[in-house]
Amino acid sequence: MASMSHLIAKPAPAATFPLSLPRTSSGFRPRRVTVQRVSCASPRGERYELDARKHDRRDVLLGLGALGASATATLASARRAGADPVATPDISSCGQANLPVSANVLTCCPPPSSALPVDFILPDATSLPLRTRPAAHSVTTDYVAKFNAGIAAMKALPADDPRSFAAQASVHCAYCDGSYSPEGFPGVELQVHNSWLFFPFHRCYLYFFERILGSLIGDPGFAVPFWNWDAPDGMRMPAMYADRSSQLFDPRRDSRHAPPKLINLDYNANVREPRFTYKQQVDHNLRVMYRQMVSLSPTPSLFFGSAYRAGDDPNQGPGPVESIPHGPVHIWCGDPNQPDGEDMGNFYSAGFDPLFYAHHANIDRMWSVWKGLDVRRHTDLTDPDWLDASFLLYDETPKLVRIRVRDVLDTDRLRYRYQDVPLHWTAARPTVTAGTRRADSFLAPAAQAAPAAARKAGEFPITLDEATIVTVKRPVAGKRSKAEKDSKEEVLVIDGIEVDRDVAAKFDVFVNTEDHGAVGSGGRELAGSFVNVPHRHGHGHGHAKKGRGIKTKLRLALNEQLEDLEAEGDESVVVTLVPRQGKGRVKIGGVKIELMH
């Protein structure tokens, strides 16, 4: 039976995954784009005629998309008038990713399909049991044995079987590292991170992974576990993943973080970890969770992340949970002795660690939990460009399936739920620490030293190589009423963030702090953080010629923070940007405050 390391070290060669269309000299693959919208490998039907008299706006844009990204950019403003959902990629045009030299995989491309995809159909409730995904720290010995058997069965399949562990891991790499372009927009990278696609893509991906695993062990009722890192009992790496004899073990992890080490949900890889007691670390994590899930997530548009539509540049802006805890958990698990933080510390390799799926099960659970915190305000997005966005994934048969975001909004209809566990962090609202010079459980280790220095920002854009202060004018005059705050959120926007994709980067954002060095992650003055988990990108579609960097933004809700800091009547706030990781590698285009629904 093949081990995971065997599959990583000896993947199927690139030739196993043939690309059906030749490249042009510019790096693009010519494609036929049909009158009927198709989303699969095999082109069919007539060519588009770029004639507005015969085709609607969508058809014309798709045809221009086939000519390259520059053509679609020309009509960006026209597309905005009636934008479109990000459509399924043509998997036959999967490009070779620009993987690190140290990479133990040769391609990010999952096996191709000779058949057209089928549209997803919700499972029949009478024939498929309702699965309960358990908290990983609470499972039985029998469950662990069955889970091991399922992962072993996936690893034993050849890499060109789309159900295999290797092929499933490559799916994440392909969708996250630039191997695909959206349907109709060759030359434009498809990216499922840093936007409103983050939650639904990973839900779809994990859903089919779970169905494949259950099918291989003959148990359609089997449910994958979730790593309950948001609760005190689950804040260690689950024991079943730390057993070196287990199929769930991955040697490319940070050995310093093996059990019984408590996780730090706001982990800074290049900063000396705080010497917290057990209780202090737990309380710190709970306050981080409250900030990300409650303070920074008051509305759907903020929780899910920025809108990302067909033809857009990717990385429009992450939601709070994607930044933290999602990013720091990835990096906390990755092996710092590997050249690129493999496995969990880099998106291209993350799927090769079985722990990845438990991590993302809890991320998926956060979507369900968030909706239950406030059933009036915490609703799914209703924008049709989100609801109609789609992905191509293999099911357990294995068939290539086109699944849309609107298909996965209700987990009961997908026939799974999560074990009910306490939400300790809902009562962990952060506290104000500015001005205090005492060392309590939420002060950073340097709190008793001299106040941390910070420079005033010059003209933007700036390179964030040291702590930087900027005074930002608020868009409102005076204190707002509760009705006004319920209607519109004040949002701090850190705009024009630029960073190389393969750089692990993190910076913290403080508001009205006298000394950012005296404010720990549980302090109310910490408004939020930006985190970039390294991910390489593909050259196959030509978009790599634009450079190795991403350009994105960070949005941080301020209503609750301004209330706690007694700053609701102030004309402006003082924002401090503090680099934690990737110092000097991040640029900032500007800082402003906007009112958003």
Side-chain angles (χ1 to χ4, degrees), residues 135-155:
H137 68 272
S138 67
V139 297
T140 65
T141 301
D142 288 344
Y143 176 92
V144 174
K146 184 176 284 191
F147 190 27
N148 264 277
I151 296 296
M154 293 181 76
K155 290 179 180 179

Side-chain angles (χ1 to χ4, degrees), residues 520-559:
S521 295
R524 173 49 85 186
E525 298 85 356
L526 179 57
S529 305
F530 170 83
V531 178
N532 183 61
V533 178
H535 52 295
R536 298 284 180 151
H537 59 104
H539 289 277
H541 297 99
H543 46 70
K545 67 182 180 181
K546 297 179 180 178
R548 296 164 55 85
I550 64 172
K551 190 168 184 177
T552 187
K553 61 178 174 286
L554 178 68
R555 303 183 303 168
L556 302 170
L558 289 180
N559 280 6

Side-chain angles (χ1 to χ4, degrees), residues 426-485:
T426 57
R429 187 167 178 165
T431 57
V432 176
T433 57
T436 65
R437 299 301 301 156
R438 67 184 187 279
D440 65 23
S441 60
F442 303 111
L443 295 185
Q448 301 188 53
R455 70 179 181 192
K456 289 187 177 180
E459 184 177 347
F460 284 95
I462 62 170
T463 297
L464 196 59
D465 51 9
E466 61 180 304
T468 303
I469 294 174
V470 56
T471 300
V472 185
K473 185 175 178 60
R474 294 177 63 207
V476 294
K479 188 174 181 179
R480 295 194 297 155
S481 68
K482 183 179 184 304
E484 289 173 324
K485 288 189 288 186

Side-chain angles (χ1 to χ4, degrees), residues 44-375:
R44 59 181 178 176
E46 60 183 311
R47 285 185 180 272
Y48 264 116
E49 298 177 21
L50 300 183
D51 185 342
R53 295 170 298 175
K54 297 182 179 180
H55 302 291
D56 65 17
R57 181 191 56 82
R58 168 66 174 169
D59 293 343
V60 172
L61 287 173
L62 283 173
L64 287 173
L67 299 178
S70 60
T72 60
T74 303
L75 290 183
S77 59
R79 191 182 61 74
R80 281 284 175 268
D84 297 295
V86 173
T88 50
D90 178 349
I91 67 169
S92 73
S93 65
C94 182
Q96 196 75 9
N98 177 25
L99 298 173
V101 174
S102 61
N104 289 307
V105 295
L106 300 179
T107 179
C108 276
C109 296
S113 174
S114 59
L116 297 177
V118 299
D119 284 327
F120 177 75
I121 299 175
L122 285 166
D124 182 359
T126 63
S127 60
L128 192 65
L130 183 64
R131 309 181 298 281
T132 299
R133 293 180 178 174
H137 68 272
S138 67
V139 297
T140 65
T141 301
D142 288 344
Y143 176 92
V144 174
K146 184 176 284 191
F147 190 27
N148 264 277
I151 296 296
M154 293 181 76
K155 290 179 180 179
L157 293 172
D160 61 353
D161 186 322
R163 303 169 301 161
S164 70
F165 192 81
Q168 286 294 302
S170 71
V171 169
H172 190 258
C173 181
Y175 272 99
C176 305
D177 288 75
S179 290
Y180 289 142
S181 286
E183 173 69 21
F185 295 90
V188 177
E189 178 189 350
L190 172 61
Q191 173 58 257
V192 294
H193 290 91
N194 297 320
S195 77
W196 66 9
L197 293 187
F198 172 74
F199 275 107
F201 168 78
H202 288 87
R203 173 169 287 184
C204 296
Y205 176 37
L206 189 61
Y207 170 78
F208 285 115
F209 180 91
E210 181 175 69
R211 281 179 52 169
I212 290 168
L213 191 150
S215 172
L216 290 174
I217 59 175
D219 183 0
F222 185 83
V224 296
F226 65 93
W227 181 5
N228 192 198
W229 32 247
D230 61 302
D233 290 343
M235 288 180 183
R236 295 182 175 90
M237 187 180 295
M240 62 177 154
Y241 294 91
D243 179 358
R244 288 181 172 271
S245 64
S246 168
Q247 296 288 333
L248 306 175
F249 181 75
D250 182 359
R252 284 195 289 272
R253 294 193 194 129
D254 193 332
S255 59
R256 301 169 302 171
H257 296 158
K261 177 74 173 181
L262 287 184
I263 195 169
N264 179 358
L265 295 181
D266 196 25
Y267 178 62
N268 299 302
N270 292 342
V271 178
R272 182 170 59 90
E273 292 192 72
R275 295 176 181 175
F276 285 152
T277 65
Y278 170 84
K279 182 180 184 304
Q280 288 171 341
Q281 184 66 73
V282 168
D283 289 347
H284 160 100
N285 286 339
L286 295 178
R287 294 198 182 197
V288 169
M289 286 301 305
Y290 181 95
R291 185 184 72 225
Q292 302 305 115
M293 286 287 290
V294 180
S295 300
L296 297 182
S297 299
T299 67
S301 64
L302 290 168
F303 175 75
F304 286 103
S306 296
Y308 173 34
R309 309 179 197 275
D312 282 347
D313 286 334
N315 304 297
Q316 291 291 310
V321 174
E322 181 178 359
S323 290
I324 295 175
H326 167 255
V329 172
H330 265 281
I331 295 171
W332 188 85
C333 294
D335 185 353
N337 296 316
Q338 296 297 320
D340 295 279
E342 291 91 346
D343 278 329
M344 277 277 280
N346 200 300
F347 282 158
Y348 95 85
S349 55
F352 286 103
D353 187 342
L355 186 58
F356 166 87
Y357 303 94
H359 173 39
H360 269 279
N362 205 34
I363 291 291
D364 180 65
R365 174 176 159 263
M366 290 301 108
W367 180 357
S368 298
V369 167
W370 177 81
K371 288 166 66 173
L373 294 177
D374 185 341
V375 294

Side-chain angles (χ1 to χ4, degrees), residues 33-51:
V33 187
T34 65
V35 173
Q36 290 191 352
R37 180 175 169 185
V38 296
S39 309
C40 57
S42 301
R44 59 181 178 176
E46 60 183 311
R47 285 185 180 272
Y48 264 116
E49 298 177 21
L50 300 183
D51 185 342

